[in-house]
Amino acid sequence: MLSVHRRFAVVGAATATLTLLAATPPTAAATADDRPGLSRFYHQKITWAACEGDGMPEDLQCGKVTVPLDYARPDRGTLDLALARYRATGRSRGSVLLNFGGPGGAGMPGLVASGKDFMGLTNGYDVVTFDPRGVGRSSPVSCGDGADELFGAVSADTDVQAALDAVGKAADICAKHSGAVLPHIGTVNASRDLDVMRQALGDKKLNYLGFSYGTRLGAVYAAQFPEKTGRMVLDGVDTLTEPITEQGLSGAEGQQTALDGFVTWCAKSMACPFGQDVRSAGEQVLQLVRSLDEEPVPSDYGQEFTGQDLVGAISQALYSKAMWPVLEQALALLVQDGDTHALTQLYGGSSLPATATPVRQRPRDDGGLVDAEDVPLDNLPAALMAINCADDPDRPGAGEVARQIAGLRAAYEEASPVFGRYRLAQVLMCYGRPKGTDYIREKVRDVPASKMLLVGTRGDPATPYRWTLETARRLGSSAVVLDNKGEGHTGYTSSKCVHRKVDDFLLYGSLPASGSSCGPENTDSY
């Protein structure tokens, strides 16, 4: 899944634990559109209009679809979900829905930023994206002001009980700012929202392209609605089985592999701030992290820039090989001039003054869309926490958490001396919340859907290639694996070969042989 690196979430993805309004595990069984109370949601039509706001492409259209707040009690409130689309330029065979990952990634800004990458699909589809429940304009969850300091105080080195106390206090603040959607957030409900969207778009089957966390959402949909699953592509395949403790360990390993690749590349350049010896350069990166943890340096707006802030900035840049030159320059500014500005821009949170974060004192509970300018800046990390915890059934007590951290510390450090400490705090992620759904771990297997294309990238720092193979085995005979022998997170926008094979499948139904591969690319743009 995509990591979110903000000072707000110094616990890695670990501390938006929500005690008061915690997610109730949703009913997992697939629900047909004729279930009592759901018919009205399956008989709506979307009204499309030009998207409002500065910088919106003229040909991008916006709309909304209404879904039940609670599928078990569809008469107890509704939610509006924001949609955006590019119309098909040729003869349309319907729609293809995009999810950009996260969890917590809003669809509209993703499509605005990278729309050119998907224009080929408009040869046969309306290209549609959406803000999932709790995300973006769709009843966004938030932690508001006050939680930032508590989150920032928690790390893998913090006394466990003190960390859990801070998590509990932050939970109260998050609950007050997240509104009625919070108990009904999570992938199982988001998947059912997808089916309402499918019907509202007029499609008999869902055609879908999901990235990172979006692969989890796609796999859950295929399990819930196998007979309504059309052409589905999962790129950067998420795990369906690993507990949070194992996910963090896998993430640390993947990030270390990506960092090793960056350091090898950097050392070939005279501009590399760590010199031209690969081994020495790697050691210098680790030394720099440790020295900044011991003695942070001033950053923008007077905040301190720590070693863990540096780890967050590096993590963000490793998602794409195209960012490596930017990271090299940012590190050179730090090493040579003590200038952290470029790194805080990569990190995404330290450069923001406290007054810059909009606070939602009264969460909107009528289910209507919020204006784009009113989406809280912390929505992405807040939604990431809430959705991941709603999807996770493990709830160890405080004693078990302490034992886990003590036992895992050495394993995390071995997996990555740079990223291990940063990721270990994920063990605290869902402490204090009721048990999440076990549907994903237990029921998403041997899916009797039509063929699905799973793209795994060998150098992916966020979703390791082995997750692609493991998820393919769980999905069963419907899964077809494409091995992308490249770098970076996901393959569609960084590999011409992957891009071509995905488009051929979605547009024409042409699948590569399972186990076929794409070679490494020399560039991340085309």
Side-chain angles (χ1 to χ4, degrees):
M1 65 201 73
L2 284 176
S3 297
V4 179
H5 303 298
R6 303 179 59 137
R7 191 163 191 70
F8 168 90
V10 110
V11 199
T15 50
T17 307
L18 309 170
T19 303
L20 297 183
L21 284 174
T24 301
T27 302
T31 316
D33 56 4
D34 58 356
R35 177 171 174 171
L38 292 179
S39 177
R40 66 188 176 105
F41 299 102
Y42 277 89
H43 288 83
Q44 60 184 304
K45 292 185 178 180
I46 302 168
T47 300
W48 295 99
C51 296
E52 298 180 355
D54 296 336
M56 286 294 172
E58 293 182 359
D59 53 346
L60 186 68
Q61 296 181 320
C62 288
K64 67 178 182 179
V65 68
T66 302
V67 297
L69 175 65
D70 182 355
Y71 278 91
R73 301 173 182 84
D75 59 337
R76 297 190 180 182
T78 63
L79 298 172
D80 290 337
L81 306 181
L83 303 176
R85 74 171 180 181
Y86 284 110
R87 293 295 304 275
T89 56
R91 184 177 178 180
S92 177
R93 67 183 308 273
S95 301
V96 59
L97 265 71
L98 309 181
N99 181 278
F100 294 102
M108 184 185 298
L111 191 58
V112 169
S114 58
K116 65 180 180 64
D117 294 320
F118 304 97
M119 287 300 102
L121 293 175
T122 62
N123 291 330
Y125 290 104
D126 293 341
V127 175
V128 182
T129 191
F130 59 99
D131 292 356
R133 57 173 61 209
V135 173
R137 298 184 62 206
S138 304
S139 300
V141 295
S142 171
C143 289
D145 281 344
D148 185 27
E149 183 176 349
L150 290 165
F151 290 145
V154 181
S155 76
D157 294 334
T158 308
D159 173 77
V160 173
Q161 190 57 57
L164 297 180
D165 289 344
V167 167
K169 292 177 182 178
D172 295 346
I173 299 172
C174 295
K176 292 175 182 177
H177 287 85
S178 290
V181 69
L182 188 58
H184 308 290
I185 207 167
T187 301
V188 173
N189 278 330
S191 168
R192 297 176 70 172
D193 293 341
L194 275 181
D195 200 54
V196 175
M197 292 181 216
R198 173 199 60 77
Q199 183 74 14
L201 290 166
D203 294 333
K204 292 183 178 179
K205 292 191 175 185
L206 176 73
N207 302 304
Y208 178 84
L209 172 55
F211 300 97
S212 195
Y213 161 78
T215 68
R216 189 197 312 171
L217 178 57
V220 170
Y221 182 89
Q224 287 185 308
F225 304 98
E227 74 286 356
K228 296 178 182 177
T229 300
R231 296 174 185 174
M232 179 171 285
V233 179
L234 311 179
D235 184 3
V237 183
D238 198 1
T239 181
L240 300 176
T241 59
E242 287 190 351
I244 288 173
T245 52
E246 294 300 318
Q247 290 181 38
L249 190 60
S250 298
E253 291 172 345
Q255 288 176 308
Q256 185 64 48
T257 298
L259 177 61
D260 292 344
F262 164 76
V263 168
T264 300
W265 169 87
C266 181
K268 295 177 182 178
S269 167
M270 294 300 295
C272 184
F274 306 113
Q276 283 64 60
D277 180 84
V278 173
R279 180 174 181 178
S280 174
E283 292 173 349
Q284 288 180 62
V285 172
L286 178 58
Q287 291 169 3
L288 183 60
V289 170
R290 289 176 174 171
S291 67
L292 287 171
D293 275 333
E294 292 177 1
E295 296 184 20
V297 296
S299 181
D300 297 348
Y301 302 100
Q303 297 182 15
E304 290 185 336
F305 188 84
T306 69
Q308 296 312 295
D309 290 333
L310 175 60
V311 171
I314 294 172
S315 299
Q316 196 78 338
L318 292 178
Y319 271 90
S320 171
K321 192 174 181 179
M323 290 295 295
W324 287 8
V326 177
L327 177 60
E328 179 186 49
Q329 294 171 12
L331 288 168
L333 286 172
L334 174 64
V335 171
Q336 296 166 10
D337 303 322
D339 185 348
T340 64
H341 179 76
L343 287 166
T344 58
Q345 293 301 311
L346 284 173
Y347 189 37
S350 297
S351 59
L352 295 171
T355 55
T357 303
V359 179
R360 301 171 66 225
Q361 298 291 354
R362 296 181 179 86
R364 181 170 182 170
D365 276 351
D366 62 2
L369 298 181
V370 305
D371 294 334
E373 59 269 22
D374 292 331
V375 176
L377 291 181
D378 75 325
N379 175 238
L380 179 54
L384 186 149
M385 304 306 123
I387 295 168
N388 279 340
C389 291
D391 288 355
D392 183 76
D394 297 325
R395 291 296 181 272
E400 180 60 24
V401 170
R403 286 190 292 274
Q404 285 180 340
I405 289 180
L408 288 170
R409 193 181 304 275
Y412 272 65
E413 289 286 344
E414 182 179 355
S416 173
V418 172
F419 299 101
R421 176 186 169 198
Y422 189 81
R423 299 300 295 259
L424 180 58
Q426 288 184 353
V427 175
L428 306 175
M429 184 175 178
C430 299
Y431 177 80
R433 297 190 65 182
K435 178 182 177 181
T437 180
D438 60 2
Y439 178 81
I440 299 171
R441 193 179 294 178
E442 299 298 329
K443 302 297 183 181
V444 184
R445 61 173 73 242
D446 299 320
V447 175
S450 55
K451 294 292 186 181
M452 295 177 281
L453 180 60
L454 279 63
V455 181
T457 298
R458 292 284 180 156
D460 195 318
T463 51
Y465 181 74
R466 65 178 178 83
W467 283 359
T468 301
L469 302 180
E470 292 170 1
T471 298
R473 286 194 292 269
R474 285 184 60 83
L475 294 176
S477 60
S478 62
V480 173
V481 172
L482 176 62
D483 179 358
N484 177 32
K485 300 181 185 299
E487 302 289 338
H489 185 39
T490 74
Y492 185 77
T493 60
S494 62
S495 166
K496 295 177 183 179
C497 172
V498 171
H499 196 281
R500 183 176 63 252
K501 290 181 183 295
V502 168
D503 281 5
D504 285 348
F505 173 53
L506 290 173
L507 290 168
Y508 313 116
S510 176
L511 267 173
S514 189
S516 60
S517 64
C518 285
E521 295 279 334
N522 292 324
T523 177
D524 277 40
S525 61
Y526 54 91

